Amino acid sequence: MKDETGSYESRIRTIALLEGQEEERKRLARELHDGVGQLLTGIRLQLDCLHNAAFNESQLESYQVLKELVLETIETVRQVSFDLMPGVLTDFGLPAALRLFSEKATKVSGVEVIFSSQGNLFQWPENLEIHLYRIVQEAVNNSLKYAKAKKIEVILTNNGGAVNLRITDDGTGFDLKEVQKKKSVHSGLNNMKLRAELIGGSFEISSVKKKGTTVSVQLNT
Amino acid sequence: MAKIRVLVADDHTVVRKGLKMLLADEDSVEIVGEAADGQEVLDKIPETKPDVVILDISMPKISGIEAAKAIAQQYSSVKSLMFSMHNNQDYILKSVENGASGYLLKDTDKEEIMLALQKVSQGDKYFPPTISSVFVDALLGRSRGRASARGNDDTPLSKLSRKERQILTMIAEGLNSREIADKLGLSIRTVTNHRANMLRKTKVKNTVELVRIAVEEKKS
């Protein structure tokens, strides 16, 4: 079996690498959120104990700055942990994670990212959910980065076991052949395709210049 | 006025210690005990008789959310106040659905913690403004994904936790408890407990019946 993603052996290697990477991301995300995050909380609480201390002016200023820095660090840890692997994906499943991802993406980019879903979506194995989540992450980030989209829709449906995931934007669109030459975009597209195939799904991407791009994954569960 | 009796539950010593020190000079509050996991909380309630339990969500053995549920069921006079790093809708709503009287983020300052303790101990609910907006969003149905994701809330399966659903799916695939335990990296005992809990929660007679419901729900 040979295709654009390389030989069969190299594909197996890629799969193992991807799955190992996800395991590691999950571990790191938890460690950051529950480990470092709690230590920071401890610092925050101890700092608060100095609330009524008799500081002079410059000490008081340091104290205020310190407090703000700790809060900022807690927020950063939350964000980095979320980017690595959202806890909500493991704890509440794919739809919850996609909704949160869309909300955050909207907030950060100012582009409207809308998530909707239909059908029963809660009985999937974790690795399937992770791959679908990463595909959405990659597709939405591409749209935000290159497509100048105003609106991105993420739609997840399950119709009696036929699962369809679609990410559509109204951006500039592109010529697939041209894009294949750009290494970074090319590898992103291949990654999505590989992930889709890994969970036994089919991957499609269609793009029309000045109209927008649709990425879709279909699989039977 | 009687002091508010508080039991602090968090698996991180630094957080428990921080809370204790922070509240130490408050005359209206008394820390009556500490617990490092959800089970310890439940064990310590009878002897410490708290008015409020400050609960972390991610704890070993029994999570804070499960502990809040058990507290609401077994000790109606004890109020749960969640104290969590998680600042998103699913954790907040799930906590409230399971009987929590309040929800604070771990970067909350002392005044707000005190306010929450007072409100909650009086039988009121307390949610800071940033969190209240979550309820409004949920009410306005901005969380369409969530509603449909969880299916019909009246079905027996909606009562199951994520882990339990995962186990149920594996049972439906024909795996036995040992195989499930191996696959999920759990002990057989834990898997057996999950199976028993599923039957208790769904009030279904046996696993065969449960699998049948699961298969039917998957088709719909």
Side-chain angles (χ1 to χ4, degrees), chain A residues 38 78 90-91 120 129, chain B residues 85 90-91 106 162 217:
Chain A
Q38 307 302 335
R78 260 200 204 115
T90 331
D91 292 342
N120 264 323
E129 296 200 325
Chain B
M85 275 283 282
D90 296 278
Y91 295 93
K106 280 194 168 162
R162 193 162 157 70
E217 206 167 279

Side-chain angles (χ1 to χ4, degrees), chain B residues 65 94 106 131 133 140 202:
Chain B
I65 292 177
K94 188 94 181 172
K106 280 194 168 162
I131 280 176
S133 66
L140 293 176
T202 53

Side-chain angles (χ1 to χ4, degrees), chain A residues 53-111:
Chain A
F55 289 132
N56 66 30
E57 206 171 309
S58 73
Q59 286 167 335
L60 188 66
E61 203 187 321
S62 292
Y63 168 73
Q64 303 286 16
V65 172
L66 202 53
K67 250 174 88 168
E68 270 163 38
L69 273 177
V70 171
L71 285 183
E72 211 174 293
T73 314
I74 292 180
E75 200 41 53
T76 309
V77 164
R78 260 200 204 115
Q79 189 55 46
V80 174
S81 166
F82 180 86
D83 290 344
L84 276 169
M85 174 84 71
V88 68
L89 180 59
T90 331
D91 292 342
F92 291 95
L94 184 63
L98 288 180
R99 195 197 57 242
L100 191 61
F101 172 77
S102 305
E103 282 172 12
K104 282 185 184 253
T106 303
K107 238 181 236 172
V108 173
S109 67
V111 174

Side-chain angles (χ1 to χ4, degrees), chain A residues 93-152:
Chain A
L94 184 63
L98 288 180
R99 195 197 57 242
L100 191 61
F101 172 77
S102 305
E103 282 172 12
K104 282 185 184 253
T106 303
K107 238 181 236 172
V108 173
S109 67
V111 174
E112 203 181 359
V113 184
I114 307 163
F115 170 65
S116 62
S117 65
Q118 213 171 36
N120 264 323
L121 306 163
F122 59 65
Q123 287 173 329
W124 298 331
E126 196 176 39
N127 71 336
L128 188 146
E129 296 200 325
I130 291 176
H131 286 306
L132 291 177
Y133 181 83
R134 294 292 181 214
I135 291 171
V136 172
Q137 218 178 2
E138 177 80 34
V140 170
N141 285 340
N142 281 347
S143 294
L144 290 175
K145 212 166 159 186
Y146 306 110
K148 298 189 188 105
K150 289 195 184 70
K151 189 170 151 187
I152 303 168

